[in-house]
Amino acid sequence: MGLHVTLQGLAGLLLLLYALPWAEGGKVLVFPVEGSHWLSMRDVVRELHARGHQAVVLAPEVTLHIKGEDFFTLQTYPVPYTRQGFRQQMMRNIKVVFETGNYVKTFFETSEILKNISTVLLRSCMNLLHNGSLLQQLNSSSFDMVLTDPVIPCGAVLAKYLGIPTVFFLRYIPCGIDSEATQCPKPSSYIPNLLTMLSDHMTFLQRVKNMLYPLALKYICHFSFTPYESLASELLQREVSLVEVLSHASVWLFRGDFVFDYPRPVMPNMVFIGGINCVIKKPLSQVCIFKLSVFYAEYIF
Ligand SMILES: *[C@@H]1O[C@H](CO)[C@@H](O)[C@H](O)[C@H]1NC(C)=O
Ligand SMILES: *[C@@H]1O[C@H](CO)[C@@H](O)[C@H](O)[C@H]1NC(C)=O
Ligand SMILES: *[C@@H]1O[C@H](CO)[C@@H](O)[C@H](O)[C@H]1NC(C)=O
């Protein structure tokens, strides 16, 4: 019976795929995350536009990289800080990341920075999700789909609230929340956790290390993610966990590849599209340390 249903689903999906090039364009609500996250998502939006879909990019008024382009409609919402203040905060934080010393000092300084950045982004998200008229307008625009990066789960909360199909587009989300939300197994005996520098072949002591490292990250996840649970609960008027918010997604597009990452179990709705980061190829010219710093700061973030 189960197999029968699956086959039927598969047939339906194939039909849908065949029909896609001729299907009527859909309306996509894009909720990007600032920085390099947006730079790769922008290529996807460009491609969606080329295939006849209509994209609305929802962004705060104050941004670093997100600017209007001719292949999408940019819709902004007010935020309680200025461009100058936002830039200064980001640059100061990036500087601190690279002036660090030992591990413990680095950990606490990085946590402090992440806390500050989280606070700014949370304020921006609250401005959006507390704006009743804007939410109503988004709801009445009847989008077919939301495309968002869940590393800042504001777009994910909005998608859950609007109750429309959602596609996640991400490099990574800490604390194994992706595995929890998709109920994907993540055995710590052979899947190295972030920052452990371990491989998929571990000794007993390395496995212990692999199990202990996430505890420190849990602290960061706690302060950066818990506020979004409260926001979601407030919006949906019931107790909602972040895992529930994220499990709303239909498809998870990971900007990763098993060439770089150790193999791990995946769910059928997880797709690896690491190649998207190599769309524009050119030889490295003058690799300036500042650019690298920004890259790493964004990667860590
Ligand atoms: C809500 O969003 C709209 C559209 O971006 C904006 O014009 C309005 O000022 C916002 N309202 C509040 C209270 O921020
Ligand atoms: C973080 O924010 C606090 C309070 O706004 C500030 O005192 C502190 O200097 C900030 N730290 C960094 C690293 O920006
Ligand atoms: C969105 O609008 C529809 C009617 O167009 C309404 O039934 C629904 O409750 C609204 N959803 C939200 C989350 O406001």
Side-chain angles (χ1 to χ4, degrees), residues 89 92-93 96 109 112-113 116:
Q89 171 90 342
R92 190 174 56 222
N93 289 331
V96 172
E109 279 179 351
E112 169 86 6
I113 289 161
N116 281 14

Side-chain angles (χ1 to χ4, degrees), residues 11 14 37 41 57 74 80 131 147 183 189 206-207 231 256 283 293:
L14 280 178
H37 302 259
M41 193 183 258
V57 174
L74 181 65
N131 187 332
L147 175 69
Q183 298 189 4
S189 55
Q206 286 173 330
R207 287 179 185 193
L231 266 176
S293 313

Side-chain angles (χ1 to χ4, degrees), residues 115-135:
K115 233 182 221 174
N116 281 14
I117 296 179
S118 297
T119 310
V120 175
L121 295 173
L122 180 67
R123 278 167 65 199
S124 157
C125 185
M126 284 166 87
N127 256 45
L128 166 67
L129 297 180
H130 286 159
N131 187 332
S133 60
L134 181 54
L135 288 185

Side-chain angles (χ1 to χ4, degrees), residues 206-276:
Q206 286 173 330
R207 287 179 185 193
V208 173
K209 176 183 172 184
N210 197 36
M211 289 190 72
L212 292 180
Y213 260 59
L215 297 180
L217 276 181
K218 277 249 178 315
Y219 164 70
I220 292 178
C221 289
H222 177 74
F223 68 68
S224 47
F225 289 144
T226 313
Y228 291 93
E229 287 187 335
S230 319
L231 266 176
S233 304
E234 191 187 325
L235 209 57
L236 299 175
Q237 295 178 356
R238 63 183 172 85
E239 212 48 48
V240 187
S241 69
L242 186 65
V243 166
E244 187 188 335
V245 168
L246 297 191
S247 64
H248 172 70
S250 314
V251 180
W252 295 62
L253 300 176
F254 285 93
R255 290 197 315 276
D257 194 288
F258 289 140
V259 168
F260 299 118
D261 304 318
Y262 291 105
R264 61 180 172 104
V266 294
M267 283 310 204
N269 65 341
M270 293 176 159
V271 184
F272 287 76
I273 51 157
I276 202 163

